Amino acid sequence: MTHPVRVLGLAGSLRQASYNRALLRAAVELAPPEVALSVADIGAIPLYNEDVYEQGFPEPVIALREAIRRAEAVLIVTPEYNYSVPGVLKNAIDWVSRPPEQPFDGKPVAIMGASPGMFGSARAQYHLRQTLVSLNARPMSKPEVMVASAHQKFDAHGKLADETTARFVTAQLEALAAWARRVGDEKNNG
Ligand SMILES: Cc1cc2nc3c(=O)[nH]c(=O)nc-3n(C[C@H](O)[C@H](O)[C@H](O)COP(=O)(O)O)c2cc1C
């Protein structure tokens, strides 16, 4: 039996009652046996400042870079702000992207997101894919998970209460495990 794929989950919202944080919690609960999903918080990452970078990475950035490096794959759960990725998430990605040893390089990544709107963060997800190209990450194309009308899919305690969405989440994590193994094999073979 091969070990479960170590996946690091990041949510791009800081608010307590966030649908995207709730979706990430649901993913932890729904993770199939082939996935070991842990969560990192981006709340302590400061605003990017090149002057600070030149003095060295701040502690929360070091921790996040390390966590991404140790993970075999990353799951990013993004809200949509003005058709794009929220600043807090982009800021965290910008920090970890700075040299040396950019931790997203070659990393398998899955994306999901939730919005009370009709498009379930689709536009933000495609912007995020563009950023992942810059990072030379290996974003998984499908299955996509775009949770529209999120306010109707979580209960008052932030628990996912929609079976169809739950099935999509599990299916994406299963696919991510396979994708991470495939990318890992490519690396090992060549
Ligand atoms: C600045 C801002 C811009 C937003 N723009 C969009 C948008 O373009 N598309 C969308 O579907 N929702 C948009 N929303 C609504 C968010 O999807 C909603 O606030 C959502 O709950 C945020 O995710 P969270 O619940 O994980 O915090 C916006 C919210 C904010 C605060």
Side-chain angles (χ1 to χ4, degrees):
M1 222 317 266
T2 47
H3 71 278
V5 174
R6 291 187 308 278
V7 180
L8 182 74
L10 305 173
S13 175
L14 306 184
R15 76 187 186 98
Q16 208 56 43
S18 156
Y19 296 119
N20 288 278
R21 288 166 63 130
L23 184 58
L24 181 52
R25 283 197 305 276
V28 170
E29 280 184 20
L30 293 163
E34 59 266 42
V35 168
L37 176 57
S38 61
V39 171
D41 199 280
I42 61 169
I45 306 274
L47 284 177
Y48 184 77
N49 182 332
E50 188 90 8
D51 298 336
V52 175
Y53 167 63
E54 281 166 6
Q55 304 297 313
F57 286 114
E59 200 51 52
V61 178
I62 293 173
L64 184 58
R65 281 166 56 87
E66 258 316 299
I68 295 170
R69 203 170 289 123
R70 277 198 308 270
E72 294 167 285
V74 176
L75 167 66
I76 302 180
V77 186
T78 185
E80 179 171 292
Y81 278 10
N82 295 312
Y83 290 13
S84 189
V85 173
V88 289
L89 177 58
K90 182 63 162 52
N91 179 66
I93 292 172
D94 290 342
W95 260 121
V96 301
S97 74
R98 303 299 286 140
E101 292 167 25
Q102 192 270 100
F104 274 107
D105 189 14
K107 192 73 69 182
V109 178
I111 301 169
M112 47 178 88
S115 161
M118 285 170 61
F119 300 111
S121 86
R123 293 161 295 209
Q125 293 193 26
Y126 292 131
H127 266 191
L128 180 56
R129 286 180 185 276
Q130 183 173 323
T131 299
L132 292 170
V133 173
S134 166
L135 300 172
N136 199 37
R138 301 290 303 275
M140 184 173 73
S141 295
K142 286 196 170 183
E144 299 176 308
V145 177
M146 294 162 174
V147 183
S149 304
H151 55 295
Q152 296 169 359
K153 299 200 170 135
F154 294 87
D155 69 17
H157 308 288
K159 197 168 164 50
L160 183 61
D162 183 74
E163 266 183 37
T164 308
T165 304
R167 278 199 297 277
F168 279 125
V169 168
T170 304
Q172 197 197 53
L173 291 172
E174 284 167 355
L176 179 61
W179 175 241
R181 292 209 164 107
R182 204 165 117 190
V183 172
D185 287 348
E186 272 175 33
K187 266 188 219 152
N188 295 337
N189 297 333

